[in-house]
Amino acid sequence: MPMQNVRTTPIDGQKPGTSGLRKKTAVFKRPHYLENYVQAIFDGIGGIAGKTLVVGGDGRYFNDSAIQIILRMAAANDAAKCIVGQGGILSTPAASHLIRLRQAGGGLILSASHNPGGPDADFGLKYNGPNGGPASEAVTDKIFERTKTLDFYKIIAADDVDLGTIGTQTLEDMTVEIVDPVADYAALMQTIVDFDKIRALFAGGFTMCFDAMHAVTGPYAYAILEGELGAAKGTVINGMPSPDFGGGHPDPNPIWAKELMDKMLGANAPDFGAASDGDGDRNMIVGRGAYVTPSDSLALLTAKAHLAPAYSSGLSGVARSMPTSRAVDRVAASLGIECFETPTGWKFFGNLLDAGKVTLCGEESAGTGSDHVREKDGLWAVLLWLNILAETKKSVADLMGDLWAAHGRCYYARLDYEDVDSDKAHAMVDALRTALPSLGGKAVGGMTVENADEFSYLDPVDGSTSAGQGIRIAFAGGARAVFRLSGTGTQGATIRIYLEQLETDPDRLHLEPGTVLAQVRGAALALSDLTAMTGRVDPDVVT
Ligand code: G16
């Protein structure tokens, strides 16, 4: 089978964002587009000759054809082996685990995460390094630089690989090993949480609803929750992965996981509810009548992780992304462990995890994880919650009430303004940045600015600096507003405003978050002049 060096020209706009490259599917399907990016990855990481790569994705539209192209290019670039999830399926955390387990040279994960899938929706591709985590800023920059100069890519002409049959095949001189996407991941989970305790919980009549949102966690949840742990049949809903996620938006939050929310807030709600996203790295936790914000979930897991076998000797430290609420900081302080504040993006946790400085980490964007892999892990978070519920025999609402009583409650919300004209969004952020030095002490909307700055991160492990990571405004009285532009959108710009208000008064721990946050919301909108700058009045999504 001949190897081809296909002449091509650099394609603009292939700058990877917060989590790899995400574009409209139609863009990825343009002639040479995917191929150019794959070759730029291979070149940007110093070549793949003799290496083993893990390849898999969330099963969205174009997943399988893109994998065939990647395999033919990996063979042409002299990779020794590709390990591929059966049917092209691997959840992001399962891929991260496989890279580590098999000591691979890295992996290619095909997903646009929680973004919708389909011919008119989104597609994505990211490279994870040998530690199983998203490429560092330095590696991402090398890949991006290569996209600008690339003038040919390598591919072999060959028939499609059979992705459906577990076992080993060859593609030219390269080995292709098709593996069960669930087995190794499920085995890892058994080493972290107490399956016997959770089994006993379900055997005792505990009820749960897990919404797989027609995405990749369906097969994992059936095998682990209903299979290994004995949860009742029907515990998993929307469990068959589909290329367009059943026409839905596989983003586990109260807006998009409405079916689950309705169940949990309605009559005869199960004891526990959870959801995961397109590629299985995000999670949502909800108790009977009690939604748990991702920031609060991180705080609760930090407080109670010692109840699970893997964390029984305590945590070395924790980390959260800057816009994530400071609830976890308060728990960490009470435990006497360090809490690191990183920029948005899982890649920033990698060094801290590798260096053993943190055991748990998480983000407001529905991501929680630990040092067992180098990605956030939706099902792991659900299992750790189940372990805690099994040990404490308390409801989700009671666990959260106890946490707030002990540490105060960080009321929290995120406002998303989607598909904003990119120039206007940048102009708004630029204006805020320019105003920063004059904001200290300013009174606005009944609040007083205590401190205002733009977050810049100094990585304590490798000494690298990442500047321009979001504008944060702290108000007197424990409120905070953070502004940043999303790095994962595929259309226009998305402005995110993160609002937080600390309450320690025992009589004010069970209020409606929107009411508590109204004042800081007004102040944030006034300071940014969002409506005048962008023409937008209401956010598209509030979570
Ligand atoms: C990705 C990253 C997360 C990050 C999120 C932020 O999530 O993996 O670490 O928090 O993006 O997104 P944005 O820049 O839009 O705020 P995912 O689940 O999309 O891979």
Side-chain angles (χ1 to χ4, degrees):
M1 284 173 276
M3 209 259 288
Q4 303 166 356
N5 285 342
V6 179
R7 290 215 158 275
T8 186
T9 49
I11 296 175
D12 287 342
Q14 295 198 54
K15 186 168 172 55
T18 315
S19 191
L21 187 68
R22 286 188 194 157
K23 295 280 176 194
K24 290 285 164 209
T25 310
V27 173
F28 263 103
K29 291 186 79 175
R30 278 182 198 152
H32 309 307
Y33 191 94
L34 171 70
E35 291 87 342
N36 274 19
Y37 188 56
V38 171
Q39 189 66 51
I41 292 174
F42 291 164
D43 293 352
I45 62 172
I48 58 163
K51 289 186 183 172
T52 294
L53 294 177
V54 168
V55 182
D58 62 12
R60 70 180 59 224
Y61 176 82
F62 194 47
N63 189 63
D64 39 7
S65 340
I67 287 178
Q68 297 292 352
I69 291 170
I70 290 168
L71 293 178
R72 291 205 295 276
M73 290 186 65
N77 281 273
D78 299 322
K81 183 176 192 175
C82 282
I83 302 170
V84 187
Q86 186 181 24
I89 293 290
L90 278 178
S91 77
T92 290
S96 179
H97 176 51
L98 255 190
I99 293 169
R100 296 164 67 77
L101 182 71
R102 305 292 285 270
Q103 299 182 335
L108 294 181
I109 303 176
L110 301 88
S111 173
S113 188
H114 52 288
N115 295 13
D120 302 319
D122 297 345
F123 191 78
L125 176 64
K126 74 171 172 173
Y127 166 73
N128 280 31
N131 75 344
S136 65
E137 290 269 271
V139 171
T140 304
D141 286 346
K142 281 188 187 146
I143 294 170
F144 180 44
E145 286 310 311
R146 185 62 185 129
T147 65
K148 297 180 190 166
T149 57
L150 196 78
D151 57 4
F152 75 94
Y153 61 84
K154 296 180 183 177
I155 190 162
I156 61 165
D159 291 337
D160 278 358
V161 170
D162 172 11
L163 299 178
T165 308
I166 289 178
T168 297
Q169 309 164 42
T170 53
L171 193 59
E172 288 277 276
D173 296 332
M174 184 178 85
T175 305
V176 179
E177 184 185 344
I178 308 291
V179 298
D180 178 339
V182 179
D184 290 319
Y185 177 83
L188 175 67
M189 291 301 114
Q190 298 218 32
T191 68
I192 297 175
V193 296
D194 191 331
F195 272 37
D196 287 339
K197 285 259 163 61
I198 302 174
R199 238 176 245 130
L201 179 74
F202 282 122
F206 182 89
T207 53
M208 174 179 180
C209 179
F210 179 86
D211 188 349
M213 305 190 88
H214 299 285
V216 78
T217 46
Y220 295 83
Y222 281 129
I224 297 174
L225 297 175
E226 295 189 11
E228 295 271 351
L229 297 172
K233 295 283 168 244
T235 293
V236 178
I237 61 170
N238 301 319
M240 290 302 289
S242 83
D244 69 347
F245 307 117
H249 202 129
D251 192 355
N253 63 41
I255 309 290
W256 298 114
K258 189 169 180 313
E259 183 180 348
L260 174 66
M261 282 306 282
D262 288 348
K263 263 187 208 296
M264 297 307 298
L265 302 183
N268 304 319
D271 294 304
F272 184 54
S276 190
D277 71 328
D279 61 332
D281 57 2
R282 296 185 174 210
N283 74 89
M284 180 177 94
I285 300 296
V286 52
R288 185 178 286 151
Y291 167 69
V292 182
T293 68
S295 298
D296 268 351
S297 178
L298 175 64
L300 189 281
L301 295 183
T302 300
K304 301 285 183 199
H306 61 276
L307 298 175
Y311 314 110
S312 58
S313 55
L315 309 174
S316 61
V318 289
R320 63 163 171 83
S321 66
M322 184 274 281
T324 303
S325 97
R326 292 161 296 177
V328 68
D329 303 39
R330 302 174 73 79
V331 176
S334 77
L335 293 172
I337 57 174
E338 198 162 354
C339 179
F340 295 85
E341 183 177 43
T342 60
T344 294
W346 206 263
K347 60 186 158 199
F348 293 103
F349 294 135
N351 279 347
L352 296 170
L353 291 162
D354 286 348
K357 287 181 177 294
V358 305
T359 312
L360 294 195
C361 42
E363 299 184 281
E364 53 65 40
S365 57
T368 353
S370 89
D371 56 2
H372 67 288
V373 288
R374 293 294 180 272
E375 284 281 3
K376 51 190 184 273
D377 188 343
L379 211 44
W380 162 87
V382 173
L383 293 169
L384 185 52
W385 262 94
L386 282 169
N387 198 148
I388 292 165
L389 291 163
E391 285 285 355
T392 59
K393 306 270 189 302
K394 290 191 172 181
S395 68
V396 172
D398 287 346
L399 282 171
M400 294 317 299
D402 292 352
L403 185 85
W404 298 332
H407 303 283
R409 178 174 180 184
C410 291
Y411 285 94
Y412 192 83
R414 189 177 92 184
L415 316 181
D416 295 338
Y417 300 83
E418 295 172 351
D419 200 6
V420 177
D421 177 273
S422 186
D423 290 343
K424 290 181 179 167
H426 280 95
M428 190 198 90
V429 172
D430 289 346
L432 258 178
R433 183 179 293 122
T434 308
L436 283 176
S438 64
L439 292 185
K442 186 175 169 124
V444 55
M447 310 198 83
T448 305
V449 176
E450 213 168 52
N451 191 43
D453 68 359
E454 185 164 30
F455 182 52
S456 177
Y457 179 61
L458 173 65
D459 187 311
V461 179
D462 66 16
S464 61
T465 304
S466 303
Q469 296 294 334
I471 287 173
R472 48 185 183 181
I473 298 177
F475 298 93
R480 185 176 80 148
V482 169
F483 299 82
R484 63 176 280 281
L485 300 180
S486 157
T488 59
T490 57
Q491 202 160 320
T494 296
I495 299 172
R496 302 206 194 284
I497 305 181
Y498 311 81
L499 305 171
E500 185 180 344
Q501 173 73 60
L502 172 68
E503 275 292 351
T504 52
D505 178 347
D507 294 331
R508 294 183 54 83
L509 297 179
H510 295 273
L511 303 177
E512 205 279 306
T515 313
V516 177
L517 294 164
Q519 201 175 33
V520 62
R521 177 175 176 158
L525 292 175
L527 281 175
S528 60
D529 212 5
L530 179 130
T531 298
M533 297 288 289
T534 67
R536 302 298 281 269
V537 180
D538 293 320
D540 298 279
V541 181
V542 180
T543 50

